[in-house]
């Protein structure tokens, strides 16, 4: 089990993904992706804050939210609704699990191929009548321990 890895598209790969979906490569979309690379998992508000911190590109929360939603519709980003009812977007498109910090409302990616394989093997033996499982979403809900607390 590790906390690194997964698949985060570089800016160049992101351009290719946009073109593949017939989306224009715009300054705003690139700024959103750059912010997402830095943030990993973020709400529209957090992305706007990050873009404004970086400088020149002008954005509004509404336009950033629209860009994020559209990218999620094309499955370029993932979507996660947090326990404090905020929509978070996920830049990591690889298979991964999440550790959700319910005090700070932050997600951390967890790579655990062993668990993923166990679940997939389990699903091959246990089917749900009338349904096809398309995706697996595993999230650990945690709070920072008193000892070893970061930040
Ligand atoms: Zn993630």
């Amino acid at each position: 089990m590790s906390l690194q890895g997964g698949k985060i598209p570089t800016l160049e790969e992101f351009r290719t993904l946009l073109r593949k979906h017939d989306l224009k490569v715009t300054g705003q979309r690139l700024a959103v992706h750059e912010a997402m690379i830095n943030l990993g998992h973020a709400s529209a508000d957090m992305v706007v804050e990050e873009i404004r911190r970086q400088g020149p590109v002008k954005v509004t929360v509404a336009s950033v939210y629209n860009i994020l939603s559209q990218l999620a519709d094309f499955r370029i980003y993932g979507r996660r609704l947090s326990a404090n009812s905020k929509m978070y977007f996920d830049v990591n498109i690889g298979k991964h699990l999440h550790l959700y910090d319910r005090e700070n409302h932050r997600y951390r990616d967890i790579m655990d191929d062993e668990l993923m394989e166990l679940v997939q093997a389990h699903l091959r033996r246990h089917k749900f009548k009338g349904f096809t499982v398309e995706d697996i979403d595993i999230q650990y809900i945690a709070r920072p321990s008193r000892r070893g607390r970061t930040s």
Side-chain angles (χ1 to χ4, degrees):
M1 197 157 92
S2 73
L3 300 173
Q4 296 301 315
K7 181 75 193 115
I8 296 168
T10 63
L11 218 48
E12 209 37 57
E13 289 165 336
F14 181 70
R15 286 172 188 269
T16 309
L17 283 169
L18 290 178
R19 288 193 204 100
K20 200 177 107 188
H21 293 288
D22 285 321
L23 295 170
K24 258 201 183 144
V25 178
T26 64
Q28 283 201 353
R29 285 188 178 126
L30 292 175
V32 164
H33 191 63
E34 263 191 295
M36 285 299 289
I37 290 174
N38 292 337
L39 298 167
H41 309 84
S43 64
D45 293 352
M46 291 160 75
V47 172
V48 167
E49 213 173 279
E50 178 69 16
I51 291 172
R52 290 187 178 152
R53 219 170 50 80
Q54 293 296 326
V57 183
K58 292 256 179 291
V59 290
T60 64
V61 175
S63 66
V64 165
Y65 187 82
N66 287 338
I67 290 171
L68 289 165
S69 296
Q70 190 182 42
L71 293 170
D73 288 344
F74 283 109
R75 290 173 174 257
I76 295 173
Y77 289 165
R79 253 194 195 102
R80 309 194 63 76
L81 187 62
S82 69
N84 63 340
S85 299
K86 269 199 170 185
M87 187 57 77
Y88 279 68
F89 295 87
D90 189 346
V91 75
N92 189 339
I93 53 171
K95 277 249 174 280
H96 62 284
L97 335 175
H98 288 100
L99 180 79
Y100 178 62
D101 171 350
R102 70 173 183 193
E103 278 183 15
N104 300 298
H105 304 291
R106 288 187 190 285
Y107 292 99
R108 197 188 265 201
D109 287 343
I110 295 180
M111 304 301 136
D112 190 342
D113 293 342
E114 194 187 340
L115 180 62
M116 275 304 201
E117 278 160 30
L118 277 172
V119 174
Q120 276 160 354
H122 186 79
L123 282 171
R124 279 193 291 272
R125 292 191 306 269
H126 301 85
K127 312 259 183 211
F128 299 99
K129 210 177 171 194
F131 290 95
T132 304
V133 174
E134 291 190 318
D135 209 353
I136 298 165
D137 184 1
I138 298 173
Q139 172 175 299
Y140 300 124
I141 298 157
R143 60 174 170 74
S145 25
R146 301 298 141 200
R147 233 177 300 174
R149 189 173 249 194
T150 52
S151 79

